[in-house]
Amino acid sequence: MLTSIALLLHALAATIWVGGMFFAYVVLRPVGHEMEPPARQDLWRGVFRRFFLWVWKAVAVLVVTGYLLVFWTFQGFGHAGIHIHIMHLLAWIMIALFAYLFFAPYRRFKATLEAGDRPAAGAQLNRIRRIVLANLSLGLLLVAIAVSGRYWAPVPG
């Protein structure tokens, strides 16, 4: 029962984070690009403020449930398939990229907007876009490994 609940929460948190990035990059970004830069920057300020709160929650749930699954279901990394190790590595890379995005370009984006420096805000928005693309790519790869890994990665034992 604990494994089922942890797996469900893990999948929901991943869906929120990766799905949110997909929506932002593939749907919202092209629409925003049709707007004038000040309106686009204001739109993204509101989107980031709301979405990043959800990402932090998703990260917390993913870390807790991920380790719970490893240690409860597999009794540790030594009994987990290589796909679990790959997912673990990719997840921490994604978390590190998001933390960098949040504490560096996003902070500078907000500060430059507050200072009225729209060109500098645009530059930060472009940095954020590249990081989101990298994280989205990793997230989609992670999803592919999560759903297929047990079929190609034998579990030790």
Side-chain angles (χ1 to χ4, degrees):
M1 178 77 164
L2 183 60
T3 296
S4 296
I5 293 169
L7 196 53
L8 172 65
L9 293 173
H10 199 78
L12 289 173
T15 300
I16 289 167
W17 188 7
V18 177
M21 288 189 296
F22 183 87
F23 175 80
Y25 199 87
V26 175
V27 177
L28 188 58
R29 187 179 72 76
V31 172
H33 195 68
E34 296 171 1
M35 303 167 77
E36 292 298 318
R40 178 184 326 133
Q41 293 165 354
D42 292 340
L43 170 71
W44 282 111
R45 176 180 19 200
V47 168
F48 293 149
R49 184 177 62 243
R50 288 169 180 83
F51 180 57
F52 290 167
L53 288 173
W54 283 100
V55 174
W56 282 117
K57 293 173 188 178
V59 165
V61 169
L62 286 163
V63 169
V64 169
T65 57
Y67 284 117
L68 185 83
L69 287 163
V70 164
F71 291 104
W72 181 268
T73 305
F74 298 112
Q75 287 76 49
F77 284 103
H79 296 114
I82 188 69
H83 64 296
I84 302 296
H85 295 271
I86 295 168
M87 288 191 304
H88 183 239
L89 173 65
L90 293 177
W92 279 110
I93 292 171
M94 286 183 67
I95 292 167
L97 281 171
F98 173 67
Y100 168 73
L101 179 158
F102 186 85
F103 291 111
Y106 175 58
R107 274 203 177 153
R108 288 191 296 265
F109 172 71
K110 290 190 312 182
T112 56
L113 277 181
E114 289 173 15
D117 188 351
R118 294 286 182 164
Q124 294 307 316
L125 196 53
N126 196 44
R127 283 184 184 90
I128 292 168
R129 176 192 57 80
R130 289 193 307 263
I131 296 166
V132 169
L133 177 59
N135 246 2
L136 173 58
S137 300
L138 290 172
L140 292 173
L141 176 60
L142 251 168
V143 169
I145 293 168
V147 299
S148 68
R150 66 181 178 162
Y151 300 107
W152 55 262
V155 175

